[in-house]
Amino acid sequence: MSATTRRLTTAQALLAFLSRQYTARDGVEQRLITATWGIFGHGNVAGIGQALLEPGSDMPYHQGRNEQAMVHAAVGYARQSGRLSAHAVTTSIGPGATNLVTGAALATVNHLPVLLLPGDVFASRPADPVLQQLEVPYAGDVSVNDCLRPVSRYFDRITRPEALIPAALAAMSVLADPARTGAVTLALPQDVQAEAYDWPEEFFRRRVWRVRATPPDSDELNEAVHLLRGARRPLIVAGGGVHHSGAEEALRHFAERTGIPVASTQAGKGSLPFDHPCDVGGIGHTGTATADELARTADVVLGVGTRWTDFTTASSTLFQNPGVRFASLNVNGADAHKMGGLQVVGDARAGLQALAGALREHRVEPSYESGYAELKAAWERRVTVAYTPDSEDARPTQAQVLGLLDTLVTGDDILINAAGSLPGDLHKLWRTRSRDQYHVEYGYSCMGYEIPAAIGVALAAPGRPVWALVGDGTYLMNPTEIVTAVQENIPLKVVILQNHGYASIGGLSEAVGGERYGTAYRFRAPDGSCTGEPLPVDLAANAASLGMAVLRPKTIRDLREALALARAADRPTCVYVETETADTVSGPPPAQAWWDVPVAETATRPSAVEAREEYDRQVAARRRHL
């Protein structure tokens, strides 16, 4: 070996490379890939697995129990780290690799970085097929890892050791790019992982990937300023890009200077604290009456870092002012062009600072400010009613569980959720106290995200109370990483809300004429009908069997004490609570805007016929914003 090369296996070289990659923003550098999650099998145990043991690998390792869950944990870590640091995930070939697909889709949909390192079949084809190999008659170079192509922002298969050099550099450039980031996949054939090569020392030098904060084009900015100056009822819609760019303070300054109210998407909630005068809460189908009423009458809407999903726009029925105009400030041009609006392509923080400077003397009319302040106060009264129980001895509703948490937490606490009826209740009701307290994954709304993501968040924010809020249906999807939390003594707090069925989808089923078919945990009669008795499933016992401390409060009084004990616990702790009522979601307050779920156009059952009539009435309000 010469002085300018280092002889290592491909897996050893990759880990050595990863340990020398850093991001930088605002003059602060931090390591890009800070740990690797893994489940080992014959596709990676002798490659990545062995490399992690080598002296100098400098790569912490977390043992997962489910491949999809490992990606969720990595995504939780990346989001909590502001996308400046991420984790890698390694798996065997076959089912270990295909189990990554759901997690990869979630990461890419939400623009959150994660590095996937699935094992792959032999590049040298010494035996064909090998165990777990998918044979494709028309293509010898296809493996199951090709399933990851459409859900990855970058994909490469490393069929020779030296091919890792350009691929690894390309992978890092995507992970660190705020406009392109998401899941990045480097498929690693198992023989190539173990193959030695003389690597140039330059490959292992310390590299800093600067996270761009590109200011918007001056002409686009001037057009947005002109649009806002002419508005009488402007509205800001804050999306996840506000958090990703660290633009919360810039948004606060801009809103206070102009008096423009700020509504938030699921990803953007917490851009302003709930008690800021300009914060009007969540927008869209799961939003507040305040934000949705302002959206219906807004004449100019400035989106900041939002993808304009159907929940945000109420399936294109929300913005009803005949002359409404849109401007979108977004680092991603593909998102900035949506809603037929003015594109302002650039970093959220840099763009808001520029807008604030240009609109220094501009402010909305006092009557507009006082009007939305009254709407905000009225909504807060509704939240208080939903949070307040009638009796300390009653079984809590789902909203009352949130109310009890509301009285307990501080800005240090972080709440994680992703699916079911809880995202709607949280978006409408939760009083967010800090920029990163509200962590609801609603881009992919993946059941089973919450517990592993909470582990990732806790790793990124040690010492802070981290809550995973899960329904019974979600818990059954992916509880296995509880074992990892116990193994590493990560004191996450899991709150299981038991309502004995898929209550959220059950309510939706009822609304669209599906009559709650297939959405309950009940004994099934021979004719297919379900009895009123829930199945004797004990999720608390399951959590205890996986190593958690478990609390079983029965009443409001019990729950208040149990939540306080869980918050103070120094080990993984579960609070298991049966909510009232078993067959319905939380109830008050109802959705303030529509969401399009197509209803059968022809049907014989009266419920479906009635649902279609309501659907036709709602869809008539849809607009194409061009």
Side-chain angles (χ1 to χ4, degrees):
M1 183 177 70
S2 72
T4 59
T5 62
R6 191 188 310 179
R7 191 161 183 81
L8 299 170
T9 68
T10 303
Q12 292 163 359
L14 176 57
L15 292 184
F17 169 85
L18 293 177
S19 70
R20 301 290 289 164
Q21 308 304 304
Y22 292 80
T23 59
R25 189 175 72 181
D26 300 329
V28 178
E29 296 182 4
Q30 49 195 294
R31 190 160 142 176
L32 176 51
I33 304 298
T34 61
T36 293
W37 288 83
I39 297 175
F40 293 112
H42 73 94
N44 64 343
V45 66
I48 296 291
Q50 188 281 329
L52 285 166
L53 284 171
E54 284 293 302
S57 72
D58 194 25
M59 180 64 69
Y61 167 70
H62 301 296
Q63 183 178 359
R65 267 70 191 180
N66 173 280
E67 291 86 359
Q68 176 183 320
M70 292 195 298
V71 185
H72 292 336
V75 167
Y77 177 88
R79 175 166 165 170
Q80 185 62 33
S81 301
R83 304 197 301 186
L84 300 174
S85 292
H87 283 168
V89 177
T90 180
T91 72
S92 64
I93 72 173
T98 52
N99 281 351
L100 295 173
V101 174
T102 297
L106 181 146
T108 295
V109 164
N110 288 283
H111 302 301
L112 292 167
V114 60
L115 177 61
L116 307 180
L117 305 174
D120 212 325
V121 297
F122 285 82
S124 56
R125 316 277 178 89
D128 193 33
V130 298
L131 178 65
Q132 298 179 328
Q133 179 177 340
L134 174 72
E135 294 185 87
V136 180
Y138 61 84
D141 62 344
V142 171
S143 79
V144 296
N145 284 328
D146 288 272
C147 294
L148 289 160
R149 289 182 183 272
V151 294
S152 297
R153 291 292 183 186
Y154 177 81
F155 179 98
D156 202 351
R157 179 177 284 112
I158 312 304
T159 56
R160 290 291 307 143
E162 58 267 34
L164 177 65
I165 295 174
L169 292 168
M172 297 303 104
S173 73
V174 173
L175 289 171
D177 187 334
R180 294 189 295 156
T181 196
V184 167
T185 300
L186 296 180
L188 301 171
Q190 54 182 315
D191 52 343
V192 177
Q193 286 184 52
E195 186 175 347
Y197 181 74
D198 293 331
W199 302 88
E201 281 291 346
E202 182 67 10
F203 183 54
F204 305 113
R205 72 173 174 84
R206 191 180 192 275
R207 284 182 173 83
V208 178
W209 303 88
R210 305 210 174 272
V211 179
R212 301 183 190 92
T214 307
D217 175 82
S218 59
D219 289 338
E220 292 180 350
L221 184 73
N222 289 336
E223 287 187 63
V225 169
H226 177 74
L227 198 62
L228 289 166
R229 283 192 183 279
R232 296 180 60 84
R233 297 184 62 82
L235 176 67
I236 296 170
V237 176
V242 174
H243 294 310
H244 295 329
S245 67
E248 296 89 355
E249 182 61 22
L251 177 62
R252 182 194 64 78
H253 179 70
F254 179 67
E256 290 176 354
R257 172 163 287 185
T258 62
I260 301 176
V262 177
S264 56
T265 69
Q266 286 280 12
K269 191 172 171 74
S271 295
L272 293 179
F274 82 96
D275 54 356
H276 191 282
C278 292
D279 180 73
V280 294
I283 191 170
H285 178 65
T286 54
T288 68
T290 310
D292 287 350
E293 180 58 29
L294 291 171
R296 291 185 181 97
T297 59
D299 54 359
V300 171
V301 181
L302 173 64
V304 183
T306 175
R307 296 190 300 126
W308 295 114
T309 67
D310 61 342
F311 261 65
T312 298
T313 68
S315 300
S316 298
T317 64
L318 185 57
F319 301 99
Q320 287 296 319
N321 187 315
V324 64
R325 298 282 306 281
F326 293 86
S328 288
L329 170 60
N330 202 299
V331 71
N332 191 323
D335 289 325
H337 89 279
K338 295 173 183 175
M339 304 299 286
L342 169 67
Q343 297 183 65
V344 186
V345 180
D347 175 73
R349 180 171 47 172
L352 286 168
Q353 289 170 341
L355 285 171
L359 289 166
R360 186 175 293 107
E361 306 302 325
H362 178 75
R363 192 170 186 87
V364 300
E365 296 178 1
S367 59
Y368 185 48
E369 285 191 77
S370 61
Y372 71 71
E374 291 176 6
L375 290 172
K376 175 181 170 72
W379 182 259
E380 283 301 315
R381 290 192 290 271
R382 294 185 71 179
V383 173
T384 299
V385 169
Y387 276 178
T388 305
D390 293 328
S391 167
E392 287 287 299
D393 296 318
R395 176 186 290 180
T397 65
Q398 182 166 284
Q400 288 163 1
V401 174
L402 299 182
L404 290 175
L405 266 177
D406 178 73
T407 65
L408 178 68
V409 302
T410 70
D412 283 342
D413 294 69
I414 303 169
L415 274 66
I416 299 163
N417 186 241
S421 57
L422 271 166
D425 285 359
L426 286 162
H427 200 204
K428 287 181 289 191
L429 303 176
W430 187 255
R431 292 164 169 162
T432 310
R433 292 158 172 80
S434 62
R435 61 173 298 278
D436 61 353
Q437 181 179 76
Y438 188 88
H439 183 133
V440 173
E441 187 286 299
Y442 218 54
Y444 210 50
S445 187
C446 186
M447 295 178 74
Y449 171 81
E450 294 89 343
I451 293 172
I455 294 173
V457 169
L459 291 172
R464 295 179 62 180
V466 179
W467 301 83
L469 308 181
V470 299
D472 49 316
T474 292
Y475 178 85
L476 285 168
M477 289 282 183
N478 209 356
T480 55
E481 288 346 85
I482 287 174
V483 178
T484 299
V486 172
Q487 181 180 33
E488 302 201 14
N489 197 31
I490 299 170
L492 73 158
K493 298 89 175 59
V494 176
V495 179
I496 302 175
L497 295 102
Q498 171 66 279
N499 52 35
H500 299 287
Y502 297 99
S504 173
I505 205 67
L508 178 62
S509 172
E510 187 170 50
V512 299
E515 303 177 38
R516 296 183 174 268
Y517 181 77
T519 63
Y521 303 147
R522 297 287 188 270
F523 287 107
R524 188 174 296 280
D527 64 357
S529 63
C530 292
T531 70
E533 290 297 319
L535 293 174
V537 175
D538 191 341
L539 301 183
N542 178 265
S545 75
L546 296 177
M548 295 198 88
V550 175
L551 304 170
R552 293 174 176 259
K554 300 294 185 183
T555 66
I556 294 284
R557 181 182 292 104
D558 297 340
L559 179 58
R560 182 178 285 107
E561 180 181 353
L563 292 172
L565 289 171
R567 188 175 188 272
D570 60 359
R571 59 171 292 192
T573 301
C574 171
V575 178
Y576 175 86
V577 55
E578 297 207 33
T579 56
E580 192 74 45
T581 303
D583 290 324
T584 61
V585 294
S586 58
Q592 304 298 303
W594 187 60
W595 181 45
D596 188 351
V597 177
V599 177
E601 193 167 0
T602 61
T604 58
R605 298 179 72 87
S607 59
V609 173
E610 293 174 10
R612 180 67 195 197
E613 292 172 353
E614 174 63 15
Y615 178 84
D616 290 338
R617 185 182 72 81
Q618 293 282 2
V619 81
R622 189 186 336 261
R623 296 181 60 188
R624 296 286 186 185
H625 296 287
L626 301 173

